[in-house]
Amino acid sequence: MVTRAKITGALDEYLDINVIADASLNGLQVEGNEEVSRVALAVDAAQVTIAAAVDSGCQFLVVHHGLFWGQQVALTGIVGRRVRACFAADLSVYAAHLPLDVHAEVGNNALLAKRLGARVDGAFGDIGVLASLKEATDIGALAGRLAAAGCTEPLIWSFGDGEVSRIAVITGRGCSELDAAVDAGADCFVTGEPVQEAYHAARDHGIHCLFGGHYATETFGVRAVGDWLLEHFNVETVWIEHPTGI
């Protein structure tokens, strides 16, 4: 058993919750039970994941996409229902959006790069990581690694001239950083979801692109946070899998 305040303080410090400007209201969004014996981890704070956390006997839910995004919002409609469900069950909700993307140890970007067999060399753009493969490989083989990492049936834009040795990774919705990936010298850009305008930009740049899905590419960080909580607080953790297909 550990206190809500202790978990919240530890996460705030470890994730450096204010390290980057973010639309998300990062940190503790809903204050629940003072004592925590079981923590749920999920990508999204939605009615279904909140219900699953409650059904699993959890007092604390850690998510990547939280309930509040830095703007005034009335506690009505679906937001009101979600918050009422949390209060009724005394469930805390903690969100870590961009701080979890950029974290060197449990960040989505760094973890996905490592799952692809790459060494993280540094950052590019606003939040991405640039990484090198030990041996150059063709785009099909790299797509296979992405699928094996849990991003089933990745979309491939094979616009590069040859094999891949240097990859730029931004999980989730990262196409706005495609030009930055090119400027950083990447042979392949890896992100979650494609957008229409990026197609011709990638073709004209001559860069390979892989898309593993917004949800699937952002499961790594929250799961790693669960492992970290287990190690540091010996608290039970429950992974709530609820893919969106996007």
Side-chain angles (χ1 to χ4, degrees):
M1 188 78 69
V2 64
T3 66
R4 177 193 66 238
K6 192 167 185 179
I7 288 182
T8 299
L11 287 174
D12 285 351
E13 181 179 359
Y14 180 56
L15 298 177
D16 198 2
I17 209 68
N18 296 312
V19 67
I20 186 170
D22 197 348
S24 172
L25 178 61
N26 293 311
L28 190 67
Q29 294 191 340
V30 177
E31 187 177 85
N33 202 305
E34 291 184 3
E35 295 187 336
V36 177
S37 61
R38 182 175 287 187
V39 177
L41 297 306
V43 172
D44 305 304
Q47 203 73 42
V48 65
T49 53
I50 291 168
V54 173
D55 290 344
S56 299
C58 297
Q59 301 84 31
F60 201 100
L61 171 63
V62 179
V63 296
H64 185 49
H65 302 135
L67 296 165
F68 304 108
W69 292 87
Q71 60 186 8
Q72 292 182 342
V73 59
L75 297 184
T76 58
I78 61 172
V79 177
R81 289 199 298 275
R82 291 169 182 172
V83 173
R84 286 197 301 274
C86 293
F87 281 149
D90 220 4
L91 177 73
S92 296
V93 176
Y94 185 100
H97 186 231
L98 295 185
L100 187 56
D101 285 323
V102 303
H103 198 275
E105 295 177 358
V106 295
N108 287 315
N109 297 328
L111 290 175
L112 180 53
K114 291 173 183 176
R115 292 291 294 272
L116 293 175
R119 181 194 68 240
V120 174
D121 298 322
F124 85 94
D126 291 330
I127 64 169
V129 298
L130 196 64
S132 300
L133 297 170
K134 187 175 182 180
E135 294 183 0
T137 188
D138 66 79
I139 188 65
L142 190 61
R145 295 182 194 178
L146 186 59
C151 304
T152 56
E153 298 183 7
L155 173 64
I156 305 171
W157 291 350
S158 183
F159 297 148
D161 285 334
E163 293 187 320
V164 175
S165 60
R166 197 161 176 80
I167 62 174
V169 180
I170 298 181
T171 61
R173 186 188 300 119
C175 280
S176 61
E177 297 282 13
L178 177 61
D179 288 347
V182 173
D183 292 342
D187 306 307
C188 181
F189 179 60
V190 182
T191 189
E193 60 180 278
V195 296
Q196 170 70 17
E197 58 269 25
Y199 177 88
H200 289 293
R203 178 182 283 276
D204 292 347
H205 279 306
I207 186 172
H208 295 301
C209 294
L210 290 176
F211 304 93
H214 194 137
Y215 174 89
T217 59
E218 296 196 323
T219 59
F220 303 100
V222 279
R223 298 193 78 158
V225 167
D227 294 338
W228 186 85
L229 288 171
L230 176 62
E231 178 184 352
H232 285 79
F233 295 106
N234 196 30
V235 64
E236 279 191 77
T237 61
V238 178
W239 167 244
I240 298 173
E241 179 73 42
H242 197 84
T244 62
I246 297 171

